[in-house]
């Protein structure tokens, strides 16, 4: 529901306590139930920002942008204004689902061979991996089309958190420490994130006054300051001449971005993906995201099977990933309708037997002709490396608007390069392209092309009404995390908190299924007897979700422990 713009004076004036009070670690609550709106993020400050906006009359879009901007402060290794993302939004007044594609793009100078021969790790920490940022354009389009706040108003909570500071928790410390070697090699990054040459200690207050000033100026000048203005010039200069620490031996390659690439960037409205599963309608993000198509195809395969258990979940995911690799990317002619058709799903489902199929599964033929059970032919495409980070949030408001939002800068810490004087890390999103050579791969780089993403913000409807929103970080494991949450909830009958907390496994058409220790302890022997092979993964995803419980009551859910646990909040615990 769109409402009149809220006067600037009405915007929240203080979201964090005075710095002296920040010595005590903040307390997150992973599950909250109540009325009037709800939010779940990985971070308490971000959730507080969203709830404050909702309580002051803002809607779900306003709250999501405010929370996303705060995450750029408190979760800077996963999100930020120099990154990108996808929104899946239900507008209650129009009774329609919209999606906004704020994915980064390759510079016009990038070709299919620009990444060939470059070691992946060298690509990660480089100007070459920095895509044209989409986050600010995403925020601006969402607010103009559906919001009630101006961009300046929506940025106020993040400005306060950046200026006053937040308490360093174990996750922030660990992520900084894991990046310390490459952060030291970038002078501007070392200055910000390695004060005194080391990560900020747990319990200390971390401030980013340069980012506060950047947000403040962005709010004053508007998106054009980035897309062609002074901030854009500084980003381009940093990409083309990374501020390497004197004496460093790291090969930090310059990038190809030009100011004209920023001027040409647009966030795009796209049609969502949609499939029906067990009488529910499931909406997701279309290409260049593979989230909606791959989650949707796997659900269709599972619905075509006579029974569904963990074996079938792994096999359906294996098949859907085979088709993802062969057909999905930012290219013309992605056979989306056929990939999500019941006929194709039945043809793929007939390959699922009592034991794990040989590795790798070959892609199917989504050609509209589906008869019998033809043997799969063709070569499988290997799963490309994707950064494990990203972040996801869900918001619902008092009018019934619902938004699921994935935002990212790709790897933990992006490309590791802070724009000098601006307090913001650049993304390394272009490493999501296939480095090649790989003739015919739909995800090879190209001028202006958006790299294929696995982000899967998802909305579920029952009889035309939203009942659930979910999503997760985790690179290509995002798809299996969302899929497993939906199966836990609707196939295995778990509550939403249990569906998020349950141990996870991810099969992405790889020789081994990665699984968390608790999953292996409970299910490994049973599934190995069916031919599955496993490799341990200590932590898969960090989901956020919400569910409408009836009579206007909402349950917001975040992780109880993964990535330090998340923060769920509601506007009011009672009517």
């Amino acid at each position: 529901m769109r409402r009149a713009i809220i006067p600037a004076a009405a915007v929240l004036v203080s979201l964090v306590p005075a710095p002296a009070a920040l010595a005590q670690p903040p307390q997150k609550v992973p599950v909250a139930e109540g009325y009037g709106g709800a939010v779940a993020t990985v971070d308490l400050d971000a959730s507080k920002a969203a709830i404050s906006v909702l309580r002051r009359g803002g809607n779900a879009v306003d709250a999501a942008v405010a929370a996303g901007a705060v995450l750029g402060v408190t979760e800077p290794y996963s999100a930020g204004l120099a990154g990108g993302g996808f929104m899946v939004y239900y507008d209650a007044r129009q009774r329609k689902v919209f999606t906004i594609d704020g994915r980064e793009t390759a510079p016009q100078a990038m070709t299919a061979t620009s990444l060939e021969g470059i070691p992946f790790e060298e690509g990660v920490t480089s100007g070459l991996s920095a895509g044209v940022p989409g986050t600010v354009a995403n925020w601006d389009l969402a607010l103009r089309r559906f919001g009630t706040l101006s961009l300046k108003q929506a940025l106020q909570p993040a400005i306060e958190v950046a200026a006053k500071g937040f308490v360093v928790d174990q996750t922030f410390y660990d992520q900084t420490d894991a990046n310390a070697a490459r952060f030291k090699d970038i002078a501007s990054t070392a200055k910000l994130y390695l004060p005194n040459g080391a990560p900020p200690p747990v319990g200390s207050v971390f401030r980013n006054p340069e980012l506060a000033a950047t947000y403040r100026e962005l709010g004053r000048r508007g998106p054009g300051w980035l897309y062609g203005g002074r901030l854009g010039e500084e980003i381009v200069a940093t990409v083309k001449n990374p501020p390497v620490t004197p004496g460093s031996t790291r090969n930090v390659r310059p990038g190809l971005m030009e100011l004209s690439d920023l001027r040409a960037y647009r966030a795009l409205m796209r049609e969502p993906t949609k499939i029906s599963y067990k009488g529910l309608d499931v909406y997701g993000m279309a290409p260049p995201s593979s989230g909606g198509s791959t989650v949707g195809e796997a659900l269709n395969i599972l619905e075509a099977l006579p029974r569904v258990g963990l074996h079938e979940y792994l096999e359906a995911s294996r098949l859907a990933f085979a088709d993802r690799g062969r057909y999905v990317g930012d290219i013309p002619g992605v056979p989306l309708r056929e990939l999500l058709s019941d006929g194709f799903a039945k043809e793929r489902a007939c390959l699922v037997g009592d034991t794990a199929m040989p590795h790798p599964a070959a892609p199917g033929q989504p050609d509209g002709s589906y008869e019998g059970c033809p043997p799969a032919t063709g070569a499988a495409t290997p799963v490309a490396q994707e950064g494990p980070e990203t972040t996801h949030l869900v918001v619902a408001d008092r009018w019934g608007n619902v938004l699921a939002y994935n935002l990212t800068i790709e790897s933990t810490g992006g490309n590791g390069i802070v724009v000098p004087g601006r307090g913001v890390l650049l993304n390394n999103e272009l490493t999501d392209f296939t480095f090649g050579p790989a003739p015919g791969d739909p995800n090879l780089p190209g001028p202006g092309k958006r790299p294929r993403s696995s982000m899967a913000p998802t909305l579920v409807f029952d009889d035309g009404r939203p009942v659930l929103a979910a999503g997760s970080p985790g690179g290509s494991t995002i798809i299996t995390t969302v899929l497993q949450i939906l199966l836990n909830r609707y196939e295995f009958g778990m509550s939403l908190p249990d569906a998020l907390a349950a141990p996870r496994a991810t099969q992405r058409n790889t020789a081994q299924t990665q699984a968390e220790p608790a999953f292996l302890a409970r299910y490994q022997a049973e599934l190995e007897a069916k031919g599955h092979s496993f490799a341990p993964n200590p932590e898969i995803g960090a989901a956020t979700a919400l569910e409408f419980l009836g009579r206007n009551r909402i349950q917001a859910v975040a992780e109880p422990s993964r990535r330090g646990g998340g923060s769920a909040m509601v506007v009011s615990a009672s009517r």
Side-chain angles (χ1 to χ4, degrees):
M1 177 177 180
R2 187 171 179 89
R3 294 164 59 88
I5 295 290
I6 298 173
V11 178
L12 60 164
V13 294
S14 181
L15 288 176
V16 294
L22 289 174
Q24 298 300 317
Q27 298 299 311
K28 300 177 181 178
V29 177
V31 181
E33 290 186 17
Y35 303 89
V39 60
T41 80
V42 298
D43 176 72
L44 181 60
D45 287 314
S47 294
K48 283 182 176 180
I51 287 295
S52 294
V53 168
L54 294 177
R55 285 175 177 161
R56 292 176 179 269
N59 67 17
V61 169
D62 302 323
V65 173
V70 172
L71 288 170
V73 181
T74 59
E75 291 277 311
Y77 307 143
S78 301
L81 65 84
F86 298 103
M87 291 179 174
V88 178
Y89 172 65
Y90 172 67
D91 187 276
R93 182 177 61 83
Q94 300 184 64
R95 297 184 180 179
K96 185 177 179 180
V97 175
F98 299 87
T99 73
I100 303 178
D101 171 3
R103 183 65 159 163
E104 301 89 338
T105 60
Q108 285 296 314
M110 180 161 275
T111 69
T113 60
S114 293
L115 299 175
E116 275 189 21
I118 297 174
F120 183 79
E121 289 306 317
E122 282 194 19
V124 168
T125 308
S126 73
L128 191 61
S129 65
V132 179
T135 290
V136 172
N138 195 345
W139 291 346
D140 179 60
L141 179 56
L143 289 170
R144 286 189 289 106
R145 182 74 184 269
F146 304 109
T148 74
L149 295 180
S150 67
L151 179 61
K152 180 179 181 180
Q153 291 171 314
L155 292 174
Q156 292 306 308
I159 292 169
E160 291 204 15
V161 176
K164 293 183 177 180
F166 63 91
V167 177
V168 173
D169 62 11
Q170 191 65 49
T171 299
F172 186 88
Y173 175 86
D174 289 345
Q175 291 178 342
T176 310
D177 189 53
N179 277 286
R182 67 182 186 131
F183 282 4
K184 286 178 181 176
D185 290 334
I186 307 296
S188 53
T189 310
K191 176 184 174 184
L192 178 61
Y193 289 116
L194 299 174
N196 303 315
V202 174
S204 65
V205 176
F206 183 83
R207 298 176 179 85
N208 192 340
E210 291 179 344
L211 180 55
T214 301
Y215 273 148
R216 194 176 293 113
E217 195 73 0
L218 178 64
R220 189 172 74 88
R221 294 183 178 272
W225 187 52
L226 170 60
Y227 297 105
R230 178 60 185 169
L231 179 58
E233 292 174 352
E234 293 178 19
I235 288 174
V236 169
T238 305
V239 167
K240 297 175 77 68
N241 187 23
V244 178
T245 302
S248 170
T249 60
R250 186 181 297 272
N251 182 17
V252 184
R253 299 169 186 264
L256 303 173
M257 192 187 302
E258 301 288 350
L259 195 62
S260 57
D261 295 311
L262 285 161
R263 290 195 184 105
Y265 185 85
R266 298 291 184 274
L268 302 172
M269 302 291 299
R270 297 190 185 273
E271 287 296 315
T273 63
K274 179 186 177 185
I275 62 103
S276 294
Y277 178 75
K278 297 178 72 71
L280 302 169
D281 291 324
V282 182
Y283 290 84
M285 194 70 216
S289 173
S290 63
S293 63
T294 312
V295 169
E297 182 187 344
L299 287 172
N300 283 340
I301 293 170
L302 289 164
E303 190 166 37
L305 295 172
R307 67 175 297 275
V308 175
L310 290 174
H311 165 68
E312 289 76 19
Y313 154 65
L314 297 177
E315 295 294 270
S317 180
R318 188 194 309 272
L319 291 167
F321 264 87
D323 298 325
R324 167 191 182 268
R326 173 64 181 83
Y327 299 109
V328 182
D330 186 17
I331 57 171
V334 174
L336 193 58
R337 180 186 296 272
E338 294 303 325
L339 286 171
L340 294 176
S341 68
D342 290 338
F344 183 60
K346 290 176 182 177
E347 192 172 272
R348 298 297 272 156
C350 73
L351 299 174
V352 179
D354 293 332
T355 58
M357 64 187 70
H359 168 77
Q365 294 290 329
D367 54 10
S369 177
Y370 309 119
E371 297 179 5
C373 189
T377 58
T381 301
V383 176
Q385 295 189 63
E386 293 185 46
E389 295 305 333
T390 298
T391 192
H392 182 268
L393 63 91
V394 287
V395 185
D397 62 32
R398 71 183 73 172
W399 300 284
N401 302 307
V402 189
L403 191 147
Y405 180 24
N406 263 129
L407 60 161
T408 184
I409 60 170
E410 180 56 9
S411 297
T412 309
N415 71 358
I417 303 172
V418 167
V419 180
R422 295 300 177 189
V424 60
L425 279 159
L426 296 175
N427 72 79
N428 65 312
E429 214 67 60
L430 302 188
T431 60
D432 269 357
F433 283 124
T434 303
F435 278 38
D441 190 310
N443 192 42
L444 285 169
K449 192 174 179 181
R450 301 180 186 220
R452 181 174 61 206
S453 170
S454 298
M455 291 185 281
T458 302
L459 301 182
V460 181
F461 289 72
D462 187 4
D463 196 25
R465 296 178 179 273
V467 292
L468 186 142
S472 177
S476 56
T477 70
I478 292 171
I479 291 167
T480 55
T481 295
V482 171
L483 177 61
Q484 195 170 358
I485 288 169
L486 295 179
L487 292 180
N488 287 345
R489 180 69 189 92
Y490 295 117
E491 194 70 50
F492 306 143
M494 297 182 192
S495 67
L496 187 58
D498 288 346
L500 264 72
R504 295 181 185 139
T506 176
Q507 170 50 245
R508 293 160 286 158
N509 203 23
T510 52
Q512 292 182 302
T513 294
Q514 293 184 14
E516 294 177 334
F519 187 97
L520 294 174
R522 196 175 306 177
Y523 304 114
Q524 183 174 6
E526 169 192 340
L527 291 168
E528 282 184 340
K530 292 180 176 289
H532 295 278
S533 176
F534 290 93
N537 185 325
E539 188 174 273
I540 298 173
T544 52
L546 61 80
E547 183 172 7
F548 292 87
L549 303 178
R551 301 188 181 218
N552 298 319
R553 190 169 181 84
I554 309 172
Q555 182 183 64
V557 184
E559 294 283 358
S561 58
R562 293 181 184 95
R563 215 163 99 179
S567 170
M569 300 182 75
V570 293
V571 170
S572 176
S574 60
R575 289 181 193 254

